[in-house]
């Protein structure tokens, strides 16, 4: 009786050891029929009834925003993809296999959903994903991979550099229809946002605002992520907006430079050249979308036009002053010539008159010594008068153009100042209207 009992006890121990001793992966793989080549598992969508669809869960985390190309309208990011689905054939009871909970298998042996990103334009070779896929004992499979994803996005640059870009990344299956494969996420939006914010390595000049998933009930075979990010505008403010503003102020201030040596004109032309350098920088950044000109381009062109007009005005003023000098010289030479003739004529007539008068006076009182003296004084007086008249005429003619130049300058300054103020106010108002 006792012997029988010990036998039963021993057999129980033997049974339990045989249960727990099978700890190799081989037996599990054997049980799963993976030891021999089992091509059915590669070909077939792993469901027992074909009417049941396979739910593929796709989680995308953003690890970095590497580059945003405004010209080609593409965004390059570093993403981490996590894809999971269920294989109804690869299930086992973990207590039968020494507690093996999960096993990794080569992807090439199994059916993998072919999910692609619609907006993807990255070149191949930028995807780093594992060749293995992990299965747990309830047939739940997952794989993950990292990818340098370049995707297209219609960037709205109206408010550049104060812009916020919302771009969609759409996942869809290439070959299968809505009934067989459904796409969804594993984690909620909050978790995705939180993990992305923590895992984010570099964002460049951007700030990740949110990561929202759209999965409308109608189009379940598509999963759409909306990535919203905001540009950090500081560099562009320092590099473009403030310099342009200062150039405008400098141009306004240049009205106080004297025109005498043409310095004003060259100063203004220098400002114009500096603005065109900034325009070149801007041209390198922005695409030529004809539909809506970005506001910064309007601002640049506006400042350029204002300064250009003021250069033209400076040219006009310089021209008027040059004209003044030229006329002055011409007037001087003509006055000199006429004066000589007049003086000669005057001399002749004067002497004749004086002789007649002298003859008349000679009768009354004869003063031969004083007559010469008086004539001398008269000649002197005449010369002085002529000289004064000539100078007066000359001054009047020269001052005419100079005054015109001054008036033009003053009027233009007032107009220019108000036009600049109006322009800046207009830009500000348009900007405010766009922001609200
Ligand atoms: C493995 O193959 C055998 C025979 O073909 C079958 O009876 C068994 O159910 C298969 N195992 C699994 C896990 O599919
Ligand atoms: C199909 O899916 C339903 C629920 O979605 C489940 O109850 C049923 O067991 C599945 N059929 C098979 C054969 O797995
Ligand atoms: C797994 O096996 C153990 C013992 O063989 C059993 O008690 C348990 O119910 C099984 N679990 C499932 C899910 O079949
Ligand atoms: C397999 O993984 C899924 C997802 O994490 C989990 O829900 C399930 O409970 C796991 N199965 C086992 C047996 O651990
Ligand atoms: C992104 O997808 C959402 C939801 O479908 C849509 O409202 C939005 O217009 C899309 N944005 C772009 C830039 O295509």
């Amino acid at each position: 009786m006792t012997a029988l009992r010990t036998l039963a006890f021993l057999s129980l121990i033997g049974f339990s050891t045989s249960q727990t001793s099978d700890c190799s992966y081989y037996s599990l793989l054997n049980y799963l029929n993976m030891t021999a080549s089992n091509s059915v598992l590669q070909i077939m969508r792993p469901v027992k009834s074909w009417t049941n669809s396979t739910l593929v869960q796709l989680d995308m985390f953003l690890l970095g925003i590497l580059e945003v190309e405004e010209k080609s309208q593409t965004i390059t990011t570093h993403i981490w993809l996590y894809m999971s689905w269920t294989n109804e054939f690869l299930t086992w009871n973990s207590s039968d296999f020494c507690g093996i909970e999960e096993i990794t298998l080569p992807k090439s042996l199994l059916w993998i959903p072919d999910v692609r990103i619609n907006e993807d334009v990255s070149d191949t070779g930028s995807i780093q994903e594992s060749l293995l896929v992990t299965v747990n004992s309830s047939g739940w499979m997952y794989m993950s991979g990292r990818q340098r994803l370049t995707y297209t996005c219609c960037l709205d640059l109206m408010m550049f550099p104060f812009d916020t870009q919302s771009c969609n990344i759409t996942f869809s299956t290439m070959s299968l229809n809505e009934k067989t494969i459904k796409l969804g996420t594993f984690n909620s939006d909050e978790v995705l946002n939180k993990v992305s914010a923590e895992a984010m390595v570099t964002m460049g000049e951007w700030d990740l605002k949110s990561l929202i998933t759209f999965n409308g009930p109608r189009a379940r075979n598509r999963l759409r992520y909306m990535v919203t990010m905001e540009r950090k505008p500081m560099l562009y403010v320092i590099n473009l907006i403030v310099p342009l503003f200062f150039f405008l102020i400098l141009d306004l201030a240049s009205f106080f430079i004297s025109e005498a040596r043409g310095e004003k004109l060259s100063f203004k032309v220098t400002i114009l050249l500096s603005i065109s350098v900034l325009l070149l920088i801007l041209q390198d950044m922005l695409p030529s979308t004809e539909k809506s000109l970005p506001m910064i381009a309007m601002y640049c062109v506006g400042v350029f036009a204002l300064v250009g007009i003021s250069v033209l005005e400076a040219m006009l003023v310089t021209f008027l002053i040059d004209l003044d000098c030229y006329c002055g010289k011409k007037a001087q030479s003509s006055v000199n010539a006429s004066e000589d003739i007049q003086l000669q004529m005057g001399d002749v007539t004067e002497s004749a008159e004086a002789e007649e008068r002298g003859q008349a006076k000679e009768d009354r009182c004869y003063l031969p010594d004083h007559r010469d003296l008086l004539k001398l004084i008269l000649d002197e007086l005449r010369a002085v008068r002529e000289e004064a008249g000539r100078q007066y005429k000359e001054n009047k003619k020269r001052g005419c153009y100079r005054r015109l130049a001054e008036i033009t300058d003053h009027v233009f300054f007032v107009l220019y100042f108000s036009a600049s103020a109006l322009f800046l106010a207009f830009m500000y108002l348009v900007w405010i209207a766009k922001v609200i």
Side-chain angles (χ1 to χ4, degrees):
M1 191 62 191
T2 47
L4 206 75
R5 218 182 284 163
T6 44
L7 200 71
F9 181 68
L10 277 176
S11 72
L12 200 73
I13 288 173
F15 178 72
S16 59
T17 46
S18 82
Q19 273 284 307
T20 49
S21 67
D22 202 0
C23 282
S24 64
Y25 281 123
Y26 181 79
S27 57
L28 176 58
L29 289 176
N30 206 12
Y31 169 75
L32 295 173
N33 292 337
M34 299 287 295
T35 43
S37 69
N38 191 351
S39 56
V40 175
L41 281 177
Q42 298 168 22
I43 298 165
M44 183 180 58
R45 188 163 62 86
V47 283
K48 283 179 177 147
S49 153
W50 77 274
T51 50
N52 273 17
S53 58
T54 303
L55 174 66
V56 177
Q57 290 168 317
L58 263 168
D59 281 15
M60 186 188 79
F61 303 99
L62 271 178
L63 299 184
I65 300 168
L66 303 182
E67 202 177 358
V68 176
E69 280 267 351
E70 285 88 6
K71 271 240 177 262
S72 57
Q73 304 261 304
T74 56
I75 297 176
T76 306
T77 50
H78 192 201
I79 58 168
W80 184 36
L81 271 180
Y82 187 86
M83 183 159 74
S84 63
W85 68 99
T86 310
N87 189 326
E88 291 177 9
F89 296 101
L90 299 181
T91 55
W92 67 93
N93 186 339
S94 63
S95 52
D96 290 347
F97 297 94
C98 194
I100 296 177
E101 283 288 348
E102 53 179 42
I103 187 173
T104 48
L105 298 167
K107 264 166 40 179
S108 56
L109 293 180
L110 296 165
W111 178 89
I112 306 285
D114 60 339
V115 177
R116 296 283 179 277
I117 297 170
N118 291 358
E119 291 89 358
D120 192 356
V121 288
S122 33
D123 40 0
T124 52
S126 60
I127 303 170
Q128 309 161 350
E129 49 181 29
S130 167
L131 291 173
L132 300 169
V133 52
T134 308
V135 194
N136 79 3
S137 58
S138 46
W140 185 82
M141 321 187 70
Y142 75 85
M143 53 184 268
S144 68
R146 275 182 290 168
Q147 186 179 352
R148 185 180 194 270
L149 171 72
T150 302
Y151 63 98
T152 53
C153 175
C154 190
L155 300 171
D156 178 15
L157 295 168
M158 190 65 189
M159 304 303 294
F160 177 89
F162 302 95
D163 50 340
T164 303
Q165 302 296 346
S166 289
C167 293
N168 287 345
I169 301 179
T170 314
F171 291 91
S172 67
T173 54
M174 302 272 276
S175 52
L176 298 156
N177 64 30
E178 195 176 334
K179 284 205 179 101
T180 56
I181 280 198
K182 289 187 172 169
L183 296 177
T185 57
F186 189 69
N187 289 303
S188 64
D189 282 5
E190 289 89 63
V191 176
L192 291 179
N193 273 303
K194 201 162 157 270
V195 173
S196 288
E198 276 169 14
M200 185 71 82
V201 178
T202 169
M203 290 202 276
E205 61 175 49
W206 296 87
D207 214 2
L208 180 69
K209 281 282 165 210
S210 66
L211 199 63
I212 305 168
T213 53
F214 287 97
N215 213 341
R218 245 191 80 253
R220 280 292 299 268
N221 60 337
R222 254 194 217 163
L223 175 65
R224 187 169 284 170
Y225 278 88
M226 193 161 93
V227 183
T228 307
M229 51 198 198
E230 193 178 28
R231 196 193 295 269
K232 297 176 196 155
M234 213 39 169
L235 183 70
Y236 298 97
V237 171
I238 291 170
N239 217 9
L240 279 174
I241 297 174
V242 171
L244 275 172
F245 181 70
F246 271 115
F247 283 142
L248 195 62
I249 299 289
L250 272 181
D251 196 47
L252 276 171
S254 74
F255 278 92
F256 298 105
I257 299 177
S258 80
E259 356 247 336
R261 283 151 291 172
E263 272 169 13
K264 187 172 167 180
L265 188 61
S266 56
F267 183 76
K268 277 175 185 284
V269 170
T270 315
I271 292 179
L272 200 67
L273 278 178
S274 317
I275 295 176
S276 51
V277 170
L278 290 183
L279 273 175
L280 271 183
I281 295 176
L282 197 69
Q283 193 229 334
D284 277 348
M285 284 187 294
L286 297 182
S288 70
T289 45
E290 280 162 45
K291 260 194 342 203
S292 58
L293 202 64
M295 276 188 62
I296 182 130
M298 284 196 256
Y299 174 67
C300 269
V301 168
V303 172
F304 190 84
L306 280 173
V307 175
I309 290 169
S310 95
V311 168
L312 280 181
E313 189 268 349
M315 279 174 177
L316 177 68
V317 166
T318 316
F319 170 71
L320 282 178
I321 287 169
D322 282 352
L323 198 70
D324 193 46
C325 293
Y326 173 71
C327 280
K329 263 184 208 149
K330 211 174 147 191
Q332 195 174 344
S333 56
S334 66
V335 163
N336 278 347
S338 67
E339 178 205 353
D340 283 351
I341 293 164
Q342 268 186 4
L343 267 180
Q344 274 172 9
M345 293 276 286
D347 269 352
V348 171
T349 48
E350 278 296 315
S351 57
E353 271 175 36
E355 229 146 88
E356 269 175 28
R357 248 182 269 151
Q359 291 256 294
K361 276 180 186 167
E362 225 175 354
D363 295 340
R364 269 182 262 157
C365 54
Y366 181 60
L367 294 163
D369 296 345
H370 293 117
R371 197 183 158 214
D372 282 351
L373 195 67
L374 271 176
K375 192 167 182 302
L376 217 65
I377 290 170
L378 201 69
D379 281 353
E380 283 296 317
L381 265 178
R382 187 178 289 270
V384 165
R385 210 193 65 196
E386 292 284 352
E387 175 72 16
R390 184 176 59 86
Q391 270 179 7
Y392 175 68
K393 244 187 219 165
E394 194 180 315
N395 277 349
K396 203 173 156 194
K397 229 178 192 167
R398 179 179 288 179
C400 164
Y401 285 116
R402 184 171 283 273
R403 222 175 318 124
L404 186 63
E406 273 167 15
I407 289 170
T408 312
D409 212 32
H410 286 146
V411 169
F412 185 80
F413 177 72
V414 172
L415 283 179
Y416 186 62
F417 186 80
S418 34
S420 305
L422 271 178
F423 170 68
L424 291 178
F426 173 73
M427 289 309 288
Y428 180 72
L429 283 181
V430 171
W431 188 68
I432 286 287
K434 290 266 192 277
V435 162
I436 292 169

